[in-house]
Amino acid sequence: MLRVLRLLLCLSLSACAWPDSAHTELPEASLRAVRAITAEEQACFVRPPINFNKPVVIMLLSPRMVYTLLEWTRMRQAAEALGYRVLSWKDPRVPEAEWRAALGSPAATTTDPEALLAMPPQCDSLWRGMNHSPMSFVLLESHLHPWAVWGVMPEEAWSEALRFRVLALRRALVQFSPQ
């Protein structure tokens, strides 16, 4: 029980590396958390079209969290190296002038500001209750792991958080699939 609580704490903070046993001891709560995306959320991914057979990580970014633009390129590349399709959206609460100033700063290491797209307005339901960014969600096929990955983190912790969510999604999809 203590091990499961420790793992759930790591999940909620997304700031620690997973033990080797995490992939075989996936908490039941993580499997139960996986859900089908709603029709409203499905509309989010019409443009650009998404291949749902490949894991997708959707990141909501904000220049108000200082490390976001410093670390974004590294985190995006790490997710892509794991085989994820990466969508990055600008936090709509940040005015466009503030975005332009942040991306134009010499401190910003984001080499592809065009990769930061405006969040489609119909995607609001995916981010309800969000009070911090950067924040990421992982999708696979037509299902979402609703436990968000919060913040900027070292590559090992980020990679493990992404792997953990996809593992939960894959296991849940096997359970949801018709026999």
Side-chain angles (χ1 to χ4, degrees):
M1 179 66 171
L2 181 58
R3 196 148 90 208
V4 170
L5 289 174
R6 191 170 38 236
L7 186 56
L8 289 174
L9 178 62
C10 282
L11 284 173
S12 66
L13 298 176
S14 299
C16 52
W18 308 109
D20 291 336
S21 63
H23 295 293
T24 57
E25 298 177 10
L26 192 64
E28 184 64 29
S30 181
L31 291 172
R32 285 193 314 265
V34 172
R35 65 171 176 78
I37 60 175
T38 66
E40 184 180 8
E41 292 163 348
Q42 179 77 31
C44 287
F45 308 111
V46 174
R47 302 227 186 284
I50 300 298
N51 174 1
F52 285 107
N53 295 321
K54 177 178 177 175
V56 178
V57 62
I58 300 126
M59 305 180 83
L60 190 66
L61 302 170
S62 172
R64 293 176 178 175
M65 298 304 292
V66 68
Y67 288 106
T68 299
L69 298 181
L70 299 175
E71 298 289 330
W72 161 237
T73 300
R74 176 188 59 80
M75 290 179 67
R76 187 197 77 242
Q77 290 170 346
E80 288 171 344
L82 291 171
Y84 285 77
R85 162 83 189 274
V86 178
L87 293 178
S88 55
W89 293 336
K90 296 187 240 179
D91 187 332
R93 299 172 299 179
V94 177
E96 189 59 34
E98 188 175 338
W99 271 108
R100 281 193 304 275
L103 292 172
S105 164
T109 60
T110 302
T111 57
D112 59 346
E114 294 76 32
L116 297 175
L117 306 172
M119 182 185 81
Q122 64 270 33
C123 298
D124 182 55
S125 68
L126 190 60
W127 308 101
R128 273 190 201 122
M130 187 268 305
N131 59 8
H132 179 283
S133 57
M135 177 174 145
S136 306
F137 283 111
V138 177
L139 293 99
L140 183 62
E141 294 185 19
S142 60
H143 286 73
L144 167 77
H145 199 299
W147 293 356
V149 182
W150 297 91
V152 171
M153 60 189 68
E155 190 167 330
E156 182 179 328
W158 169 240
S159 296
E160 286 299 314
L162 293 177
R163 285 186 190 112
F164 184 84
R165 280 148 179 95
V166 164
L167 179 65
L169 281 160
R170 286 186 176 133
R171 288 193 182 171
L173 286 169
V174 167
Q175 291 178 351
F176 296 143
S177 68
Q179 300 298 329

